[in-house]
Amino acid sequence: MKLIKVEHAYKIYKNGTTAIADLSVTIDKGEFVFVIGPTGSGKSTFIKMLYREEKPTKGSVIVGGIDVAKLRNSKVYKLRRKLGVVFQDYKLLPKLTVYENVAFALENLGLPNSEIRPKVLKAIESVGLKEKTRNLPNELSGGEQQRVAIARAIVNDPKLLICDEPTGNLDADTSAEIMNILERINQESETTIIMATHDRDIVNRMKKRVLVIENGVLVSDIKKGSYVVNESDKDSKKKHS
Amino acid sequence: MRAIRILRRSIRDSFKSIFRNFSLSMASIICTTITLILVAISLFLSYNVRQITTTLEHELTVVVYLDFDVTEEQKIRIENDLKTMSTVEDYTMKSKEEWKSEIGRESEVFGSALKIFEENPLYDSIIVKVKNVDDLKETAEKLRTYDFVDSAEYGEGMVESIINIFDIISLGTISIVIALVVVTAFLISNTIKLTIFSRKTQIEIKRLVGASNVAIKLPFIFEGFTLGVFGSILPILLSIYGYTLLYNVTGGYISTKVITLVEPFPFVFIVSLFLLVIGSIVGMIGSWLSVRKHLKI
């Protein structure tokens, strides 16, 4: 079953820069997809279009049955309630505790406290932060903060989890922990995960579907289980030999 | 139920945010306080000027002196005519004898001087109160047409110009009130813009987690409302106690009893209510305008 259907999507900014050009792709429910590409390739724009932070200039972007291009500004919340978003810089509220940060999402949707509490505790437990519910973000490590952000993103059981370089600020071991959590979420609750990343090591280790975007164009759609050749690795191998 | 929960949480969050951003909240409150004090002063000035103008208008009289040898029939004729004149509100006839005894009562010197004359040298007179300032000239001219009327005077031109000046002052103070209300809206809006700017991440996250625009705006609108209400407390207290004190100290009039001040009760309560409404509504509108900008993509 298709969750995302992008057809001939273009994104041209007001200054004339073409960030996305004629991009077409479909993503099924329950898939785990990496989006890779160099800085400025348009992968972030593509990710942003999926949660309607950017609107396609032309073409259609359909997420969970909602046409993002036709979605009015005041109705964006209808799309956002179906998905969760995780960022490189966590975007946690510094004055709220771990529990409050996760509950913040549900409180703003108007859910009753009796419903919020079990959901929040379940989400925090699933990212392994049960002991830190009362801590403030600045009392946590980078990896732990990212786990809080993941808990906040999945607390409302979204169909789609969008991750924009979630391991960008983390070391290799912590990145691996985060990836384990994301993989578990993907497998246990069949949540579709789309993750933009620079880290080809992660991509190669996980062996998932990979979309490669360069200069706004989808240059390859690598099937699950394949490797992505790391250009820098090739260079270093050459040097060693 | 969902709407009520969102409303309740918005009120809670607005109070939290006021205390968490204390310095910016204080800046908003002080701005509102200062402008509302100015609004209050303008309001008091405006109402009192209007009151003075009304009092003056009610005191407008044409003083008519009849000829020395006016007959009783002529007096009855003019009295009957005055009764039918549409511009006349009231009149008082005063005979030369009444004048003489009044002068005698007020000053012994003039009283004894008048006694020297065999015949009363004073004139019979009529004090005619007109309904409107514009009726003064017309009434005086009409009365001058009688051949037994010696003079009909009303302070030609001066009264009209005084009232005109008061009208201009009154209009000016109302314009100041309106201008100050607009200034307050801008000040509150700008200060709240600063608090919103410092909470951009919060708005961003709210949008990300799927909060509707209304749910995002509500806490800010309540915040603006509360800041406006806090900002109007001092101006209200100053209005109630300050104006009452001024009224008591002056005895309710300035220099002459014609220039009377508006009685403090219920006047100060009306002004206070006005200040409270302006403070809170302007606060709400200010916040709404500021947050709206951040909800556009």
Side-chain angles (χ1 to χ4, degrees), chain B residues 229-274:
Chain B
V229 170
F230 282 162
S232 60
I233 291 175
L234 191 64
I236 286 175
L237 291 177
L238 279 177
S239 299
I240 294 175
Y241 293 105
Y243 185 76
T244 314
L245 186 73
L246 177 81
Y247 190 85
N248 290 338
V249 168
T250 56
Y253 59 89
I254 300 166
S255 75
T256 153
K257 293 224 168 175
V258 176
I259 305 176
T260 52
L261 296 173
V262 181
E263 279 192 29
F265 301 102
F267 178 48
V268 286
F269 294 128
I270 295 167
V271 171
S272 303
L273 187 72
F274 186 70

Side-chain angles (χ1 to χ4, degrees), chain A residues 1-4 27-31 159 189-192:
Chain A
M1 203 184 123
K2 305 228 178 323
L3 183 73
I4 295 169
I27 294 169
D28 289 338
K29 194 170 179 278
E31 267 196 282
K159 286 182 191 169
S189 52
E190 286 197 351
T191 307
T192 310

Side-chain angles (χ1 to χ4, degrees), chain A residues 51-55 73-78 80-81 83-85 87 90-93 95-96 100-101 104-113 116 152 156, chain B residues 1-6 8-10 12-13 16 19-21 199-216 219 292 295-297:
Chain A
Y51 62 93
R52 183 38 174 82
E53 190 64 24
E54 295 289 353
K55 221 173 169 177
N73 210 11
S74 58
K75 302 288 175 206
V76 170
Y77 71 93
K78 289 189 175 176
R80 301 270 170 95
R81 284 180 189 182
L83 49 86
V85 193
F87 297 94
Y90 326 127
K91 292 203 194 298
L92 299 176
L93 293 168
K95 287 175 183 171
L96 301 188
E100 288 167 339
N101 260 293
F104 185 77
L106 300 178
E107 281 190 359
N108 278 287
L109 302 182
L111 262 68
N113 287 335
I116 292 176
R152 184 183 62 198
N156 200 26
Chain B
M1 272 313 282
R2 185 185 282 256
I4 293 168
R5 273 194 298 270
I6 289 177
R8 211 179 52 216
R9 281 172 188 152
S10 298
R12 180 199 67 187
D13 288 349
K16 264 190 193 171
F19 289 106
R20 279 180 179 165
N21 303 282
R199 276 178 283 162
K200 257 173 82 178
T201 323
Q202 196 182 329
I203 294 177
E204 202 183 335
I205 296 167
K206 281 189 180 187
R207 276 183 69 81
L208 275 176
V209 298
S212 64
N213 284 358
V214 175
I216 297 172
R292 207 173 55 146
L295 294 176
K296 286 179 185 162
I297 295 182

